[in-house]
């Protein structure tokens, strides 16, 4: 009999900070906002902040703690993000982790040829299609930054490329406030109306302030647009300890938290209750070269700590894992991706992005994405933990088999082995002689063959002709408008 105090299931977890440390980081963040302030380059946002009681001198805004606390109180403590069809959804709350692709790299490892070249819209289409086929990838970003269309209108092309090639939720980077506005119009056409999109959002904005503590006007405008539309957004900068944030992780997390709070205040003043993440992008800074590293251990340590701070406010968090600084899919790539995915899964980060990055974020690779998909499956099984109940304790089965027996013929084994054992698709567990007879393929061979098969055979549910025509029309008219303004 299972006692009332018996714990049937518990997911493994990781805590980097204790409650006192979280308190100190929060206090430091509020102090940074009150005494250092932030550079807000958007006149409308400065006025809004001044009207709320902030101290504004030129472009520097110093934020009293009570204003921050009032705005933090109006944030939703978790929300749902739906798929393109408004059906399945992700519950973005607590320590539930969901994994997504990389984005914005100027170069791509071609999904078909394997060559590395500048990213094209076609590469983003392939990336979305491969992500759609990956059962462990929960949401999708444009897989690179397209170099073969006008830069000012690239976000329109990238959204179209993704939304046509996956039904999964989308996180997108905008390149201008007008471009973001047009992307929301395209998304509303897909959802059926702006009201439908607001009720069941499948699109998450990703405006990025400049670390340290700087808010360009364009970035703020994108925040305000998302807030006005009632759409979820992830407003976070990129912290490199020793370069764009203090060399100490405690200082980096405090600064990142301050930046997040300022973003949240701007968003909540515009629209109380607008859904928002509290996240950051902690990387590494190679002190020999100044080049950013995507997945050093310090990054996962800092991100894991920051998610505890976010959770102390009741807000969803943002992670960065499944990437590699390696130029090849090799031992380094596997080790960096696996460590970061497991560490951040254990910490319970909510949206974990950049699966599929190579070369310190400069290359998006569908092969790397497929490797990450395999690794996320591994992590998800580990995070599923051990269930302890009458059936899993199996004392009656043990009695039936008895000393010296085996469990291979047991019906209990037959019913349960598929959920107890994680089964890889690409890792090999075959005997050496069998592997040799089947061609002696290594992981790189198997990954690329699997990617090409997805490109050739995977079928994505198509949008209706009416919706396709509507978003294409917005894209074409929007491109004309944006290009004309840029001249």
């Amino acid at each position: 009999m299972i006692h009332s105090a018996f714990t049937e299931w518990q997911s493994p977890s990781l805590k980097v900070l204790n409650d006192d440390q979280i308190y100190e980081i929060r206090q430091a963040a509020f102090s940074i906002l009150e005494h250092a302030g932030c550079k807000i380059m958007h006149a409308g946002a400065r006025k809004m902040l001044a009207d709320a009681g902030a101290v504004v001198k030129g472009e520097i805004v110093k934020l009293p703690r009570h204003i921050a606390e009032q705005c933090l109180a109006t944030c939703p403590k978790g929300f749902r993000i739906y798929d393109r069809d408004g059906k399945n959804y992700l519950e973005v709350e607590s320590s539930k982790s969901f994994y997504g692709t990389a984005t914005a790299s100027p170069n791509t490892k071609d999904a078909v040829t394997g060559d590395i070249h500048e990213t094209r819209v076609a590469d983003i289409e392939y990336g979305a299609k491969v992500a759609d086929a990956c059962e462990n990838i929960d949401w999708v970003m444009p897989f690179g930054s397209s170099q073969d269309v006008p830069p000012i209108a690239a976000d329109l092309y990238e959204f179209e490329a993704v939304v046509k090639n996956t039904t999964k939720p989308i996180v997108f980077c905008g390149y201008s406030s007008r471009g973001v506005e047009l992307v929301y119009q395209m998304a509303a056409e897909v959802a059926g109306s702006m009201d439908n999109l607001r009720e069941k959002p499948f699109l998450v904005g990703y405006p990025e302030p400049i670390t340290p503590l700087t808010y360009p006007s364009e970035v703020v405008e994108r925040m305000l647009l998302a807030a006005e539309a009632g759409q979820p957004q992830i407003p976070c900068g990129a912290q490199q300890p020793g370069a764009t944030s203090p060399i100490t992780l405690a200082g980096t997390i405090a600064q990142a938290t301050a930046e997040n709070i300022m973003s949240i205040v701007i968003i909540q003043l515009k629209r109380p209750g607008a859904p928002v993440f509290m996240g950051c992008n902690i990387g590494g800074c190679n002190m020999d070269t100044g080049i950013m590293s995507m997945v050093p251990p310090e990054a996962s340590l800092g991100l894991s700590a920051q998610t505890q701070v976010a959770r102390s406010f009741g807000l969803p968090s943002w992670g960065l894992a499944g990437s590699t600084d390696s130029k090849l899919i090799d031992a380094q790539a596997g080790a960096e991706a696996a460590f970061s995915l497991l560490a951040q899964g254990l910490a319970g980060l909510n949206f974990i992005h950049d699966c599929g990055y190579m070369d310190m974020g400069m290359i998006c690779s569908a092969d790397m994405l497929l490797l990450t998909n395999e690794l996320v499956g591994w992590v998800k099984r580990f995070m599923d933990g051990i269930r302890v109940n009458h059936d899993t304790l199996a004392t009656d089965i043990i009695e039936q088999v008895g000393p010296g027996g085996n469990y291979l013929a047991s019906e209990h084994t037959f019913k349960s082995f598929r959920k107890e054992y994680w089964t890889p698709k690409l890792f090999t567990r075959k005997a050496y002689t069998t592997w040799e007879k089947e061609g002696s393929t290594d992981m790189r061979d198997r990954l690329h063959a699997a990617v090409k098969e997805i490109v050739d055979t995977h079928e994505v549910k198509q949008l209706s002709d009416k919706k396709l025509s509507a978003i294409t029309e917005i894209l074409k008219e929007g491109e004309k408008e944006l290009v004309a303004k840029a001249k």
Side-chain angles (χ1 to χ4, degrees), residues 97-124:
S97 295
F98 304 102
Y99 298 83
T101 68
T103 190
S105 62
N107 303 308
T108 293
K109 180 177 170 62
D110 195 285
V112 178
T113 67
D115 296 334
I116 293 174
H117 54 67
E118 287 190 338
T119 302
R120 304 168 300 207
V121 173
D123 299 309
I124 294 173

Side-chain angles (χ1 to χ4, degrees), residues 229-252:
Q231 296 301 295
Q233 58 180 305
I234 307 162
C236 62
Q239 294 79 22
Q240 287 180 270
T244 62
S245 64
I247 188 63
T248 53
L249 282 175
T252 288

Side-chain angles (χ1 to χ4, degrees), residues 424-443:
K425 291 185 175 181
L426 296 168
F427 292 178
T428 182
R429 290 178 174 174
K430 297 176 180 177
Y432 184 89
T433 53
T434 304
W435 168 79
E436 194 174 36
K437 287 177 182 178
E438 292 181 354
S440 307
T441 59
D442 65 12
M443 179 56 84

Side-chain angles (χ1 to χ4, degrees), residues 296-309:
E298 296 81 11
S300 285
L301 192 63
L303 288 164
S304 298
Q306 194 275 334
T307 200
Q308 287 184 253
V309 177

Side-chain angles (χ1 to χ4, degrees), residues 14 24 67 113 126 131 171 188 225 230 242 262 264 326 367-368 408 427 442 455 466:
L14 167 69
E24 293 296 339
I67 300 172
T113 67
Y126 285 145
V171 176
L225 282 167
M262 179 59 84
I264 288 166
S326 179
D367 293 10
M368 184 66 192
L408 285 172
F427 292 178
D442 65 12
V455 169
K466 181 180 178 182

Side-chain angles (χ1 to χ4, degrees), residues 6 48 107 110 114 151 170 220 264 278 312 321 330 338 355 372:
F6 196 97
M48 191 168 59
N107 303 308
D110 195 285
I170 298 169
V220 174
I264 288 166
M278 175 178 271
S312 76
D330 54 10
C355 295
T372 305

